[in-house]
Amino acid sequence: MVGRGHQMPDISDIHLCLSQCRSRKIFFEVAYGLRDQGEKEKLGLIYSRINNPDLEILENRLTLWDEADDCAVFESGMSAITTAFLEFVKPGEVLLFSSPLYGGTDHFITQFMAQIGVIPVEFTPLDIEADIIQKIENTGMGHKLAMVYIETPANPTNTLIDIAMCRRIADHFKGDDRERVILAVDNTYMGPLWQQPLKHGADISLYSATKYIGGHSDVIAGAACGSKTVIKRMKVLRTFLGNMCSPWTGWLLLRSLETLKVRMERQALNAEQVVNFLNGHPNIEKVYYPGLLTPEDGHQYKVFRRQCTSAGAMISFDVKGGEKEAFAFLNSLRLVKLAVSLGSTESLAEHPASMTHAGVEPHHRELMHITEKMVRLSVGVENYEDLIWDLEQALQNL
Ligand SMILES: *Cc1c(COP(=O)(O)O)cnc(C)c1O
């Protein structure tokens, strides 16, 4: 500290002048969560499981759309989601979640979390605020609510869940002496461009970066965006679970971010054209797409206008008939591929009832209108006239 007099040096300068061992000690204190990171302090690059240049750059860039303080990237969407559960919900606590959820998340909550003593409470997009509060109160464990976890729009019906309402529910159950009830939103379907849950009161915006963010169907990755404190806790657990994104995946995602906006905008534009074609086609019974909501749809329309800046690029529709007709349609597609992922450059179609949502309890499937006649479409960046040509020829075969 030569020449600094009695002033306490800025901690970021310390690394330059301290002995190597002393600076490593300081790095580890932060990495292992023993001490808070100083305002200007940089996290040292001590070991790639904790952080590495590819991940740091990716995380910094991913904070931008959500306007988040910080971001943590993971090796899959599931690892981002499960790390949030494991960090913020403990045995004996209540986890409120919206249904239907992504199959992997649903399984983790109802099988794993329930088995370690967490009390899962489920609600559907059809439930209103008072119903949901009643559901939690009925458990007699409202004071133990630790997290509200939602997915909006719900897959595959595109029904929206009001994020601000979920914030109110979380706050309703937060006693004065308790930690904040965490509101986590799986933003894979609309994010990061068209919906920013943090702006509506969420604490964590979660992503399967395998989808839009990756966009090329060549990586599996996940991300969590949120406040400094929330992401710090997830990063410390990530260090010990070892489920951080690999540097190579991080590098590929940096490539993907270069085109994220143009890809998603093109996909949304294509989806709009596809919906214009599908809506009113004689072999189609109903199209599920937020852009078709009108003021007559009441709350759904209001939530859409408040929460989303685009109708997105995920479309579901019921063909006239049942499974036979839906399968005939899917088998006839020539450009659109039959596969379950979403958000990539290529258009994909699938049959939720027998594929992505095969594990959903039949009664729930019925309640949510996930019928045998439903087809889900993820619209890519192709020329929309080609997509419409393909859909038209496949519909003719019904
Ligand atoms: C794909 C997906 C996930 C899981 O992500 P992985 O990257 O496959 O682990 C979670 N939520 C939603 C909405 C998804 O579409």
Side-chain angles (χ1 to χ4, degrees):
M1 300 315 113
V2 187
R4 286 247 182 178
H6 298 297
Q7 255 188 335
M8 268 299 286
D10 183 333
I11 199 142
S12 57
D13 302 331
I14 292 183
H15 306 323
L16 300 174
C17 27
L18 286 180
S19 72
Q20 291 202 35
C21 282
R22 177 85 181 99
S23 74
R24 291 309 178 279
K25 180 178 171 180
I26 289 172
F27 288 164
F28 273 93
E29 283 169 358
V30 176
Y32 283 16
L34 303 176
R35 177 173 66 72
D36 281 339
Q37 197 169 342
E39 191 64 24
K40 288 191 196 150
E41 187 180 8
K42 288 207 171 69
L43 200 58
L45 297 167
I46 38 180
Y47 192 69
S48 270
R49 175 155 46 74
I50 299 165
N51 65 334
N52 59 67
D54 288 289
L55 302 200
E56 285 193 345
I57 298 166
L58 175 63
E59 285 168 347
N60 286 342
R61 291 189 187 170
L62 276 173
T63 59
L64 298 176
W65 284 103
D66 278 291
E67 293 179 31
D69 291 347
D70 202 2
C71 169
V73 284
F74 292 85
E75 196 55 344
S76 67
M78 280 311 299
S79 56
I81 293 164
T82 54
T83 301
F85 288 145
L86 294 174
E87 178 56 34
F88 295 107
V89 191
K90 305 295 174 216
E93 293 184 329
V94 175
L95 168 57
L96 175 73
F97 69 103
S98 67
S99 177
L101 283 181
Y102 179 73
T105 312
D106 186 274
H107 182 94
F108 194 81
I109 293 175
T110 57
Q111 309 296 311
F112 184 85
M113 293 299 276
Q115 214 169 53
I116 63 166
V118 167
I119 302 129
V121 178
E122 187 172 359
F123 72 98
T124 77
L126 310 173
D127 291 320
I128 60 164
E129 190 165 350
D131 295 342
I132 303 169
I133 289 176
Q134 194 58 50
K135 272 187 182 173
I136 302 169
E137 270 167 1
N138 288 348
T139 66
M141 301 282 290
H143 61 292
K144 288 281 190 186
L145 180 67
M147 180 186 274
V148 179
Y149 181 92
I150 62 168
E151 219 175 279
T152 180
N155 172 14
T157 53
N158 274 331
T159 318
L160 298 155
I161 296 172
D162 186 341
I163 300 171
M165 172 195 77
C166 292
R167 176 78 266 157
R168 288 196 298 275
I169 293 170
D171 291 344
H172 179 91
F173 287 98
K174 181 206 155 294
D176 292 339
D177 52 340
R178 291 182 60 217
E179 268 187 73
R180 185 174 172 85
V181 176
I182 295 284
L183 171 58
V185 180
D186 183 331
N187 199 33
T188 304
Y189 244 56
M190 279 286 184
L193 250 77
W194 305 318
Q195 179 173 269
Q196 284 99 32
L198 304 182
K199 292 178 188 163
H200 302 277
D203 298 295
I204 318 175
S205 176
L206 291 156
Y207 294 97
S208 167
T210 311
K211 314 296 166 53
Y212 286 106
I213 294 174
H216 296 67
S217 304
D218 58 1
V219 290
I220 291 277
C225 290
S227 69
K228 244 190 174 95
T229 21
V230 160
I231 299 302
K232 161 98 181 297
R233 283 180 60 176
M234 288 184 73
K235 279 185 176 171
V236 171
L237 183 57
R238 183 183 69 173
T239 293
F240 297 103
L241 292 174
N243 57 353
M244 73 299 159
C245 171
S246 81
W248 171 238
T249 300
W251 185 85
L252 281 170
L253 288 174
L254 284 169
R255 163 220 54 175
S256 294
L257 286 186
E258 305 277 332
T259 55
L260 179 69
K261 183 163 183 281
V262 280
R263 279 188 282 111
M264 288 185 77
E265 282 176 352
R266 175 58 179 261
Q267 285 172 270
L269 183 131
N270 281 356
E272 207 178 311
Q273 296 294 332
V274 165
V275 166
N276 286 344
F277 164 75
L278 293 173
N279 203 26
H281 188 285
N283 287 345
I284 287 188
E285 199 173 284
K286 184 169 178 183
V287 180
Y288 304 81
Y289 169 73
L292 292 175
L293 291 167
T294 65
E296 272 114 80
D297 294 297
H299 189 61
Q300 281 287 307
Y301 175 76
K302 278 194 210 138
V303 174
F304 171 59
R305 297 304 299 254
R306 183 180 347 123
Q307 252 167 234
C308 310
T309 54
S310 161
M314 294 298 296
I315 304 164
S316 291
F317 55 90
D318 295 334
V319 293
K320 283 197 179 141
E323 186 188 88
K324 183 170 152 281
E325 286 74 15
F327 278 13
F329 168 81
L330 288 164
N331 286 330
S332 308
L333 291 168
R334 293 170 60 187
L335 170 63
V336 178
K337 294 177 186 70
L338 178 65
V340 295
S341 195
L342 64 99
S344 281
T345 50
E346 74 281 4
S347 294
L348 303 175
E350 65 114 2
H351 186 248
S354 67
M355 296 169 72
T356 43
H357 292 72
V360 178
E361 208 227 316
H363 169 70
H364 249 121
R365 276 216 301 268
E366 206 174 303
L367 197 72
M368 298 308 306
H369 305 287
I370 307 169
T371 56
E372 302 290 337
K373 58 193 169 184
M374 179 180 268
V375 169
R376 189 188 81 178
L377 203 59
S378 167
V379 181
V381 299
E382 303 91 338
N383 183 324
Y384 65 78
E385 288 178 351
D386 290 343
L387 293 174
I388 292 170
W389 167 85
D390 193 25
L391 299 169
E392 185 161 32
Q393 65 81 24
L395 282 167
Q396 265 165 13
N397 293 338
L398 301 194

